[in-house]
Amino acid sequence: MDLEHVLRGSVPRPGGFDDVVVTVSSGQVTQVRSPASDDPESSGILLPGLVDIHNHGGGGASFHSTSSDEIAVAAGVHHAAGTTTLLASTVTDAPDRLLEVVAALATAAEAGLIAGIHMEGPFLANSCRGAHDPDRLMAPDVGLTRELLAAGRGQLRVMTLAADLPGADEVAAVLAEAGAVVALGHTAATAAQARAFLAGPGSLVTHLFNGMPPAHHRDPGPVLGSLGAAGVGDACVELIADGIHLADETVRAVMSMVPGSVVLVTDAMAAAGMADGDYQLGPLSVEVRSGVARVADGTGSGSIAGGTSRLMDQVRRQAAAGIDLAMLMKAASVRPASVVGIDAGRLDVGARADLVVCDESLQPVRVMRGGVWLSS
């Protein structure tokens, strides 16, 4: 028999909270209403399950893997921390290896462990490669793109492309025809190229500011081109709001400029939820010191190599910095889900019962995924 859960808590609304009672039955939210006198006491702050559309792993495990056990560990670490829906991200690698990884991730998606695949590379600009192996970067290739889509069996939801590379438009057209989201990233595109790309096949910007030249008042580049496109169109911009990839003031500024277009992501790698140490990001070795992941180059100053936060960490950090929690939650739940075409991140009747119960400091206390409480 399916258990029914009745939870009372504070749900963030613009400028404050509403006290509500949520009923869950058969894995779905079946009722959301105002409290009555005989309802249970509040459990704390109630949030919809978070949605992370750019995530390379966690718990010492990587999504860039053909091991079902490793993929499950990486997903579980984020699920338990409140990210009940996520895309598994790959990194640049040899074509044969990418095809194997995508096929394994497609199996995990079909099992419901992840919500699909995000491919970051291999069609990225060498000058903006960040933590991607320069020896495995490739020019955009329509044939390989079709092979990757076939290996993904309908689960390849996002691919990051450098718009300035010859052939990017042709690959973008193939992706769009297959229903995949085309993301602009790791690119040295001009502002005009970025705007055109996002007005055409592109609808997402991969970790804005990171993996692209900094904006200059006489050379706005992809940063200001992307913000301009987001301000007038439907494109959304990813922000890694962990205080490492972006300063908190930068996050605040972007959320003020394009409040309806921000998507929070972790870009998490295997070290998320783990101690400092040595890890792998695809074919590259990574060292994590004081929570900062960098490509191991012998100097300790290599390129930042993904994140070590989980999405709730970013929500908590930015709420403490003064950004409205309701605004943050849209950027960490329903908006990223909408961008990639999945139904998640809602606390509404008929939605899958993905809930996060938090204390007043936004630390997760309990997490429900599909109507089942997860162990922490």
Side-chain angles (χ1 to χ4, degrees):
M1 179 181 294
D2 290 313
L3 292 176
E4 182 177 83
H5 304 276
V6 180
L7 300 167
R8 180 176 179 176
S10 300
V11 175
R13 304 296 187 210
F17 292 89
D18 284 346
D19 190 14
V20 303
V21 174
V22 176
T23 302
V24 170
S25 182
S26 300
Q28 286 192 316
V29 176
T30 55
Q31 188 177 54
V32 180
R33 59 174 174 80
S34 298
S37 59
D38 58 346
D39 282 321
E41 293 184 359
S42 176
S43 299
I45 296 173
L46 288 183
L47 304 176
L50 276 59
V51 180
D52 189 358
I53 61 173
H54 187 156
N55 189 315
H56 296 278
S62 173
F63 285 127
H64 193 84
S65 174
T66 57
S67 164
S68 59
D69 289 342
E70 185 170 5
I71 293 167
V73 168
V77 164
H78 290 280
H79 290 164
T83 303
T84 52
T85 300
L86 56 86
L87 299 189
S89 301
T90 66
V91 295
T92 296
D93 211 330
D96 287 350
R97 174 64 175 171
L98 287 174
L99 289 166
E100 292 172 350
V101 169
V102 167
L105 292 174
T107 298
E110 289 162 351
L113 191 64
I114 59 175
I117 304 163
H118 160 228
M119 294 203 68
E120 191 175 17
F123 310 137
L124 310 176
N126 184 61
S127 63
C128 301
R129 65 183 181 272
H132 289 264
D133 187 341
D135 294 333
R136 291 174 169 85
L137 293 173
M138 295 177 57
D141 184 317
V142 167
L144 177 56
T145 302
R146 294 191 189 281
E147 289 184 66
L148 291 166
L149 286 165
R153 305 193 297 276
Q155 302 296 336
L156 203 171
R157 294 191 177 272
V158 183
M159 179 181 274
T160 300
L161 296 175
D164 48 314
L165 295 182
D169 287 342
E170 289 78 3
V171 166
V174 170
L175 292 168
E177 182 182 6
V181 172
V182 179
L184 170 72
H186 288 279
T187 179
T190 65
Q193 286 176 318
R195 283 197 308 273
F197 195 75
L198 293 169
S203 57
L204 181 66
V205 180
T206 295
H207 47 48
L208 184 71
F209 296 99
N210 298 113
M212 55 187 68
H216 187 278
H217 55 284
R218 287 190 296 272
D219 185 11
V223 171
L224 294 186
S226 296
L227 286 171
V232 299
D234 297 327
C236 284
V237 297
E238 294 180 354
L239 298 181
I240 310 174
D242 58 3
I244 296 169
H245 288 79
L246 298 175
D248 295 339
E249 195 58 40
T250 301
V251 175
R252 180 191 295 275
V254 173
M255 294 197 79
S256 297
M257 286 188 281
V258 288
S261 303
V262 172
V263 171
L264 297 182
V265 299
T266 62
D267 196 12
M269 46 82 69
M274 299 290 286
D276 286 358
D278 298 327
Y279 297 88
Q280 286 293 125
L281 183 60
L284 296 182
S285 296
V286 174
E287 55 186 15
V288 179
R289 305 291 182 265
S290 300
V292 180
R294 294 187 180 276
V295 174
D297 65 354
T299 70
S301 59
S303 295
I304 291 178
T308 59
S309 72
R310 287 169 288 185
L311 203 51
M312 186 58 73
D313 300 330
Q314 296 188 22
V315 170
R316 183 169 55 251
R317 179 187 183 93
Q318 298 307 322
I323 298 179
D324 183 75
L325 180 57
M327 178 183 289
L328 289 167
M329 283 308 303
K330 285 187 178 179
S333 58
V334 68
R335 186 175 299 128
S338 177
V339 167
V340 300
I342 56 180
D343 184 9
R346 297 188 297 117
L347 193 54
D348 303 321
V349 173
R352 190 176 79 167
D354 294 342
L355 307 170
V356 187
V357 181
C358 295
D359 62 19
E360 290 184 355
S361 63
L362 293 179
Q363 291 285 350
V365 176
R366 299 186 80 186
V367 177
M368 176 181 287
R369 185 171 189 263
V372 178
W373 292 112
L374 303 182
S375 59
S376 58

